[in-house]
Amino acid sequence: NAGVTQTPKFRVLKTGQSMTLLCAQDMNHEYMYWYRQDPGMGLRLIHYSVGEGTTAKGEVPDGYNVSRLKKQNFLLGLESAAPSQTSVYFCASSYLGGFISGANVLTFGAGSRLTVL
Amino acid sequence: AQKITQTQPGMFVQEKEAVTLDCTYDTSDPSYGLFWYKQPSSGEMIFLIYQGSYDQQNATEGRYSLNFQKARKSANLVISASQLGDSAMYFCAMRALTNTGGFKTIFGAGTRLFVKA
């Protein structure tokens, strides 16, 4: 059981280049999330998806786009990378689950470290 | 607006002693879930404990307990009998309804815990 897999793990980009981060989960989770982690700022939600074919904006969506064409995959795209997007990116997934149970615990990927020069 | 606040950037604790990590949250929704995650220096995110807004008793998981004070909107993590392996970053998080009917999970800035031998 692989859980949540992120690719690539490391990437260096030049300003203005584009790239896509891929997140794949094999747990049949409905929800998927993309976060970025920066020192002193914790994890900030970029975009999320509540199911196949749906996406929504989080706290810091500007400069990013996402797609969820298949339930198991959630792609994060940077169309024109900027140095401010240098960060560690985490993908996470969870069941639909209500508030009564703990079934909505997030399962995280290992993270993707992106550097934009 | 929904928000998680962790006011302690860093904490020190002596091995074998107990430590409390503070977390306050802000939401106007009656239904929400509160989580604590641990991030060791290796970078992975590890789920520790969950508390639902309707849970009558404080959650406990081994050496971890969550001191849930609903009226104060606080969800402090208590680690008993600290171990050297507890040295890590700790994040408080909240799962709450969005205005489109789905759920999202947001995080605080984190507290870095140092356990001294």
Short mmCIF file of all heavy atoms in Angstrom, two decimals, chain A residues 3 25-31 68 71-72 93-96:
data_model
loop_
_atom_site.label_atom_id
_atom_site.label_comp_id
_atom_site.label_asym_id
_atom_site.label_seq_id
_atom_site.Cartn_x
_atom_site.Cartn_y
_atom_site.Cartn_z
N GLY A 3 0.03 4.47 -0.37
CA GLY A 3 -0.48 5.66 0.29
C GLY A 3 -0.54 6.82 -0.67
O GLY A 3 -1.22 6.77 -1.69
N GLN A 25 -2.83 8.82 -5.10
CA GLN A 25 -3.17 8.08 -3.88
C GLN A 25 -3.93 6.80 -4.28
O GLN A 25 -4.72 6.80 -5.21
CB GLN A 25 -3.98 8.95 -2.91
CG GLN A 25 -5.22 9.60 -3.51
CD GLN A 25 -6.52 8.86 -3.27
OE1 GLN A 25 -6.54 7.81 -2.61
NE2 GLN A 25 -7.61 9.40 -3.79
N ASP A 26 -3.67 5.75 -3.51
CA ASP A 26 -4.28 4.47 -3.81
C ASP A 26 -5.23 4.00 -2.71
O ASP A 26 -5.46 2.81 -2.54
CB ASP A 26 -3.20 3.42 -4.07
CG ASP A 26 -2.29 3.20 -2.87
OD1 ASP A 26 -2.51 3.83 -1.81
OD2 ASP A 26 -1.35 2.38 -2.98
N MET A 27 -5.79 4.95 -1.97
CA MET A 27 -6.66 4.62 -0.84
C MET A 27 -8.13 4.93 -1.12
O MET A 27 -8.96 4.87 -0.22
CB MET A 27 -6.19 5.41 0.40
CG MET A 27 -4.78 5.03 0.81
SD MET A 27 -4.08 6.16 2.01
CE MET A 27 -3.75 7.57 0.98
N ASN A 28 -8.43 5.30 -2.37
CA ASN A 28 -9.80 5.61 -2.76
C ASN A 28 -10.38 6.79 -1.96
O ASN A 28 -11.59 6.84 -1.70
CB ASN A 28 -10.71 4.39 -2.61
CG ASN A 28 -11.94 4.48 -3.51
OD1 ASN A 28 -11.87 5.02 -4.61
ND2 ASN A 28 -13.05 3.97 -3.04
N HIS A 29 -9.50 7.71 -1.57
CA HIS A 29 -9.95 8.89 -0.82
C HIS A 29 -10.67 9.86 -1.72
O HIS A 29 -10.29 10.08 -2.87
CB HIS A 29 -8.75 9.60 -0.19
CG HIS A 29 -8.22 8.90 1.02
ND1 HIS A 29 -7.02 9.27 1.62
CD2 HIS A 29 -8.70 7.88 1.76
CE1 HIS A 29 -6.82 8.51 2.67
NE2 HIS A 29 -7.81 7.65 2.77
N GLU A 30 -11.73 10.46 -1.17
CA GLU A 30 -12.47 11.45 -1.94
C GLU A 30 -11.74 12.79 -1.98
O GLU A 30 -11.72 13.48 -3.00
CB GLU A 30 -13.87 11.68 -1.33
CG GLU A 30 -14.82 10.50 -1.46
CD GLU A 30 -14.66 9.49 -0.34
OE1 GLU A 30 -13.83 9.72 0.58
OE2 GLU A 30 -15.35 8.47 -0.36
N TYR A 31 -11.18 13.20 -0.85
CA TYR A 31 -10.58 14.51 -0.74
C TYR A 31 -9.09 14.47 -1.03
O TYR A 31 -8.38 13.57 -0.57
CB TYR A 31 -10.77 15.07 0.68
CG TYR A 31 -12.14 15.60 0.95
CD1 TYR A 31 -13.21 14.73 1.17
CD2 TYR A 31 -12.38 16.96 0.98
CE1 TYR A 31 -14.47 15.22 1.41
CE2 TYR A 31 -13.66 17.46 1.22
CZ TYR A 31 -14.70 16.58 1.44
OH TYR A 31 -15.95 17.07 1.67
N ARG A 68 -8.16 17.52 -11.36
CA ARG A 68 -8.43 16.20 -10.77
C ARG A 68 -9.31 15.44 -11.77
O ARG A 68 -10.51 15.28 -11.57
CB ARG A 68 -9.13 16.33 -9.43
CG ARG A 68 -9.32 14.96 -8.74
CD ARG A 68 -8.85 15.00 -7.35
NE ARG A 68 -9.03 13.69 -6.70
CZ ARG A 68 -9.82 13.51 -5.64
NH1 ARG A 68 -10.47 14.51 -5.11
NH2 ARG A 68 -9.92 12.30 -5.12
N LYS A 71 -9.92 10.18 -9.90
CA LYS A 71 -10.08 10.23 -8.45
C LYS A 71 -8.74 10.07 -7.74
O LYS A 71 -8.50 10.69 -6.70
CB LYS A 71 -11.05 9.14 -7.99
CG LYS A 71 -11.38 9.20 -6.51
CD LYS A 71 -12.40 8.15 -6.14
CE LYS A 71 -12.81 8.29 -4.68
NZ LYS A 71 -13.84 7.29 -4.30
N GLN A 72 -7.85 9.25 -8.29
CA GLN A 72 -6.62 8.95 -7.58
C GLN A 72 -5.51 9.98 -7.80
O GLN A 72 -4.50 9.92 -7.13
CB GLN A 72 -6.11 7.55 -7.97
CG GLN A 72 -5.74 7.39 -9.43
CD GLN A 72 -6.89 6.87 -10.28
OE1 GLN A 72 -8.05 7.19 -10.02
NE2 GLN A 72 -6.57 6.08 -11.29
N SER A 93 -4.43 13.49 1.34
CA SER A 93 -5.75 13.00 0.97
C SER A 93 -6.48 12.50 2.20
O SER A 93 -5.86 12.21 3.24
CB SER A 93 -5.65 11.88 -0.07
OG SER A 93 -5.07 10.72 0.49
N SER A 94 -7.80 12.41 2.10
CA SER A 94 -8.59 11.90 3.22
C SER A 94 -9.92 11.38 2.70
O SER A 94 -10.35 11.70 1.59
CB SER A 94 -8.84 12.99 4.26
OG SER A 94 -9.80 13.92 3.82
N TYR A 95 -10.57 10.56 3.55
CA TYR A 95 -11.92 10.14 3.27
C TYR A 95 -12.88 11.31 3.42
O TYR A 95 -12.52 12.33 4.01
CB TYR A 95 -12.33 9.02 4.22
CG TYR A 95 -11.70 7.69 3.91
CD1 TYR A 95 -10.78 7.13 4.78
CD2 TYR A 95 -12.04 6.99 2.76
CE1 TYR A 95 -10.19 5.91 4.50
CE2 TYR A 95 -11.46 5.78 2.47
CZ TYR A 95 -10.53 5.24 3.34
OH TYR A 95 -9.95 4.03 3.07
N LEU A 96 -14.07 11.11 2.94
CA LEU A 96 -15.12 12.11 3.08
C LEU A 96 -15.41 12.35 4.55
O LEU A 96 -15.41 13.46 5.02
CB LEU A 96 -16.37 11.64 2.35
CG LEU A 96 -17.61 12.55 2.48
CD1 LEU A 96 -17.30 13.91 1.88
CD2 LEU A 96 -18.79 11.91 1.77
#
